[in-house]
Amino acid sequence: MKHFVIASVLVIVVTVLIILGLGSIDLVPNLASAEGEYVDLMFRAQLYVISFIFALIIVFILYSVVVFRRKPGDTSDGPHIRGNTTLEITWTVIPLIVVMGFGVWGALHLSEITAQEPNELVVEVTGFQFGWRFEYPDYGVNSSELYLPRDRKVLFRLTSTDVIHSFWIPEFRIKQDAVPGLWTELRVTPTQPGDYRVRCAELCGYAHSAMYAPVVVVEPDEFQAWLEGQEVGTPTPPEDLTPVERGAQLAEQQGCLSCHSIDGSTQVGPTWLGLYGSERPLEDGSTVVADEEYLRTAILDPGSQVVQGFPNIMPPAYTFLSDEELAALVAYLESLSD
Amino acid sequence: MTVLSLGIVRGLAAQIVGTALGMGLVVLVRVLMGLHAWEAEPATVVGAMLGTIFFMIGVGSMNDWFRWARGEATPIHHGPPEGRPSWTRYFGVDYSHKVIGIQYGVTAILLLLTGGALASIFRVELAEAGRQFLDPAVFNTMIGMHGWGMIISILLGIAAFANYLIPLLIGASDMAFPRLNSWAFWLNVPAALVFLTSMFVGGWDTGWTAYPPLSARAPLGMQLYFVAVFFFGISSIVGALNLIATILLLRAPGMSLFRMPIFAWGVLATSIIALTATQLIALSFIMVMMQRLLGMGFFDPAQGGNPILFQHLFWFYSHPAVYIFVLPGLGVISEILPVFCRKPLFGYKWVALSSIAIALAGFLVWAHHMFTSGMASFLRVPFMFSTLLVAVPTGVKFFSWVATIWGGKLTFPTPMLFVLGALSVFLIGGLSGPPNGIVTTDLFLHDTYWIVGHFHATMFGGFVFPFFAAMYYWFPKLTGRMYNERLGQLHFWLMTPAFWIQSLGQMRVGLLGMRRRIVDYDPALGIEGGQLAVTIAGLVIGLSVLIMLVNLVYSARRGRVAERNPWNSRSPEWQIPSPVPEVNYPDGLQVIGEPYDYGLPDSRYVNLQVAAAGE
């Protein structure tokens, strides 16, 4: 009994020490969403219980290791205790109650963070290899950056054009997969203005690790200003844009720029800076000049002419582009070689 | 003796011939159909399948069945092959469960080294931010190869101990179906070759889970991976069937189910899962294979398919698979603990039945891997509750182990150290589980390194540490010699702290935003110290395993000769000479007591002189 009392006191001491220790470090990134508060609260509660059970088991084992060693020369066995049904029932029922309690609590939290609100901002998110596109259907705005107003619930409707991606902003805590052929939903209320990043959390192929999109959370009036700034651009009918402007717009909308830079830096694919008119060494050893013909083929059938040093991973998904749109893209590329 | 008298050489030759034939067959059919002759995917798939079947015939694993079909007698030959050195029996078909156990064990260790080498390479890549030396496509293939290589290593490691020990522990002369046993082992060899080949034909960049649509558009290696898993799976099903039959039907007189050594309960529970769930992963992979080969759009939204269906099928096996991996290991803990505590296993029946409870609950929890997948939202709640239920029988095991240790007379040779290490590591793994089971926290933790830390801790605590404990514990039984205690202790004291650092480090960087399966990470997350620590710890674990192998190989030849019962165990296998003679219990075996009655004077578990006593 003496041993049991000492070990029990040690369990409490160790539990407190672990909880204090965990409390002294930043375990998770800064919180930036209302839904994340439920996650963090639940996680903290779990950590307390985990710390206690961890201490309970570890202290009793380590205490035994130190105290109940066999003395040198002793060849006798320990006490013949086969078990204790009351104890077994106790440590079946108490954990059962604890985990079921957490289950009920978790279910309540889940209904909170999935609850709908009347004035939600709808953002349609499309994942693709290897980037994100954001549409604000209520405002006719299309962007490769995710702008969000603070303190307004956002309904993300997610889909994908190719494989499964997962939409995750660690500061918002919760994530949701984007599945081709399906619309999935995620509701988040940003609470902290600042710059964040969408990070794809489901392995999606070659450049999965680099599948980011910028997120900017701003005050509501700034968000309104941003929307208007975007809308100024969009009402211009495509036919009123010069081909170069139209090409730049398409490159943005179709997500080309998440793999191809326009500043000369190498990302997933070759940079577009100075690409037009240059000599391209191909995988098969031959060389071609990047003229209009080559670029059209490279967009429509990317696997047919793979440039040396780059993997053949561009999706052959752009056949829907019209002839004018292709011409505009080529004109845009040409403008980047001047 | 010629090289061709070794079954494995014949098998490999036959596999090459079979692969070529399979490829030729596809070319022929395509030419006859007027298509262009060469299409890599169907040719490779048919080649790999036919090659595997040819291996099985070439190695001789089906000879007895062919003889039987021809009406010839098929007596079982005991002992090493006539006129050949005894080591050759390990390289061909042999029906002794002890030979097959060692065959399984060596194959498992080879795969363990492969998986470990892959992990060491990509951990170096991940040691700091920025791309070091690995191409992302290669990295993506390596993580999947590491994952599945380790899974197979675990399945074979379990089969090794189950095969070697179960007949010994329950007092049987061999497994229920010795021919099937050998067949099940040999199937793994061509499958492993197909699996390793997948790396060199484009690889597969999906991770071990192979979710479509990504797996439907991955390189050719994907198909070889599917073929290999299919054959590994058949082996696992057949092996499980054999173990269930053996445990239920071949126990010694007097050995009721609740008088079995507890390891048998773990193996029984595991085998029930393997027998009934493995089909689902084969199904899910074959559906992707057919989608790629024949355009059947099971998971292609453009053809009315649904990618989420795959995840249901896949996890219906792959979650219970986790319990396949850990239940035998937990059985090893329960088996070894009483010996070194000199006390009965606390609550034997509760520990035994908790294994069955975990196995059964394991069938109801698969969708907890899919909380973020986009499946019907309301389904998340019932799967949360079923998942949390698993914590209860796991808790029963832990508390019973602690109660076994409490008040005992503990000694700490290497096997006991590894059992205690297993407890501490499995504790981390177990306690980091419920946060993933509760939906809200899982929406944060899913697909981060927290998960990576969690399942590596369950795998190490539930399999690797107990497996190593078992290696040291039964090493004198296998070889008749003792391992080197000092090197064993060194192995333990390197591996356990390193594993703690690795596991807690993975969880730490995961909480800070490190995603799973990325070749490069954002330095802005502030995790570079953690990443480096995890890499160093991982390499130390690798080093410690090499020390163990040196120890075991050296000691098998030069170690001190072991006494008959070095651990003073009550279990029957320690009452007979080591290494175990060809016939396990020539005089029969009768159970006359409880297995773990340490501390009860004048009690015995088994009587080995049944024949001598004239009973």
Side-chain angles (χ1 to χ4, degrees), chain A residues 76 78 80 82 175 197 200, chain B residues 342 347 409 444 446 515 597:
Chain A
S76 65
H80 181 252
R82 277 198 190 143
K175 64 172 74 71
R197 259 178 153 181
C200 177
Chain B
R342 310 309 302 168
K409 296 202 168 181
F444 174 45
H446 182 73
R515 298 163 289 152
D597 267 346

Side-chain angles (χ1 to χ4, degrees), chain A residues 55-70:
Chain A
L56 181 68
I57 304 273
I58 281 290
V59 165
F60 270 83
I61 291 178
L62 286 181
Y63 188 86
S64 307
V65 165
V66 173
V67 175
F68 301 121
R69 291 172 164 264
R70 176 184 260 189

Side-chain angles (χ1 to χ4, degrees), chain B residues 105-166:
Chain B
V106 171
T107 319
I109 289 173
L110 290 176
L111 280 166
L112 181 83
L113 292 175
T114 311
L118 290 168
S120 308
I121 295 170
F122 64 69
R123 263 329 304 186
V124 172
E125 167 68 44
L126 288 169
E128 52 183 293
R131 290 251 303 276
Q132 265 56 255
F133 57 93
L134 278 183
D135 178 77
V138 176
F139 174 87
N140 288 348
T141 298
M142 285 175 75
I143 53 168
M145 292 290 295
H146 164 71
W148 198 260
M150 287 306 195
I151 289 170
I152 297 303
S153 169
I154 292 174
L155 288 174
L156 299 191
I158 291 165
F161 279 102
N163 266 291
Y164 198 97
L165 293 175
I166 287 295

